[in-house]
Amino acid sequence: MRAGRVLDRALRGLGVTVTVLAVLFVLAPVVLTVVLSFANDPGISFPPESWGTDRWTDLVTSEKWLTALGLSVRLGVCSALLTLLVSVLALLAIHRSRLRFGELLEGVSLITLIIPVSAYAVAMYAVFAQYELLGTFHGLVVAHAMLSVPLVMLVGGAALRGVPVELELVAITLGASRVRAWVGVTLRLALPALAGGFVMAFQHSFEEAVLINFIGGPGLVTLPKAIFDSVQFGSDPVITAIAAAIVLVSSTVVAVPLALARGAKR
């Protein structure tokens, strides 16, 4: 018995140690980036020799970076809205109609999660070149939406399965049309999940750095591409402030809906 307890404590301590090391391994680069964003050195080095907010000042006053940031935000919002529209219509057709092979279609909609993004981008380049969509904003919106659809399908599909169909039938028997029952009952109950899907689609588009290099153009430089170009052709210290800003914004975008959802449950 004593040997078993000792072994159990040893395994428990090993598990805690491995977990702590894994968390530190994941968070260390993030913390280091935030720390370096407050350095005033001409280059990127650790530990910094001087401290200040020059990199943040350069970020908010640079037309290059603000233009890239604005494009990423507009692209993220537009693609997330398109993703939500397509996914909601598809989910209603699959889970709230007599559509044949609905489960098969739902599985096919997740195909972009399996195919490597680089291979998908090559195929998309050929299609977009044929239809003259290369280097266009609406082409990027469509491309980002196609990659984000599986995220909303997974989250929204799970939410719709949890909404009893009987609630819609009750609303219909009380005089509501099927569309009104969908909007007032089903989608209303699934709204937190759909809002989470919208946030995930926006974040996925905001951080996407592969498609823009295939189907973007010289006038379309998103924030991830600007960072990649800066690292590839030089080493602009401002990228530490940009990376820190992305971390803070992404964390806030994800944390706020989670906090609201927990508050709603309470």
Side-chain angles (χ1 to χ4, degrees), residues 31-154:
V31 175
L32 181 62
T33 301
V34 175
V35 171
L36 289 176
S37 68
F38 292 98
N40 280 349
D41 299 346
I44 302 176
S45 60
F46 186 83
E49 297 181 359
S50 59
W51 300 90
T53 59
D54 289 351
R55 297 179 181 179
W56 289 94
T57 302
D58 293 340
L59 172 60
V60 299
T61 57
S62 173
E63 182 179 357
K64 166 189 172 182
W65 295 110
L66 291 180
T67 300
L69 175 61
L71 176 60
S72 293
V73 172
R74 289 190 292 115
L75 184 59
V77 172
C78 293
S79 63
L81 290 174
L82 179 59
T83 300
L84 195 63
L85 175 63
V86 173
S87 300
V88 167
L89 294 178
L91 288 171
L92 290 176
I94 292 172
H95 295 281
R96 291 298 188 269
S97 71
R98 297 180 180 180
L99 181 67
R100 299 182 60 184
F101 309 111
E103 294 183 357
L104 177 62
L105 292 177
E106 188 174 12
V108 172
S109 68
L110 308 179
I111 195 67
T112 55
L113 292 178
I114 304 173
I115 300 177
V117 179
S118 56
Y120 195 77
V122 172
M124 193 173 295
Y125 177 88
V127 176
F128 277 34
Q130 182 178 358
Y131 291 98
E132 299 181 354
L133 293 174
L134 293 178
T136 62
F137 177 79
H138 54 278
L140 282 175
V141 170
V142 173
H144 282 205
M146 292 174 67
L147 289 182
S148 301
V149 162
L151 303 177
V152 182
M153 292 293 291
L154 286 173

Side-chain angles (χ1 to χ4, degrees), residues 192-255:
L194 295 177
F198 176 87
V199 171
M200 294 171 63
F202 172 83
Q203 186 176 10
H204 187 268
S205 172
F206 189 81
E207 299 176 351
E208 206 288 318
V210 177
L211 288 178
I212 186 65
N213 289 289
F214 281 84
I215 62 177
L220 295 174
V221 179
T222 60
L223 194 59
K225 179 173 174 54
I227 295 174
F228 178 79
D229 293 342
S230 177
V231 173
Q232 184 178 13
F233 301 110
S235 182
D236 190 348
V238 179
I239 62 175
T240 57
I242 297 171
I246 291 176
V247 169
L248 296 176
V249 171
S250 300
S251 302
T252 303
V253 166
V254 174

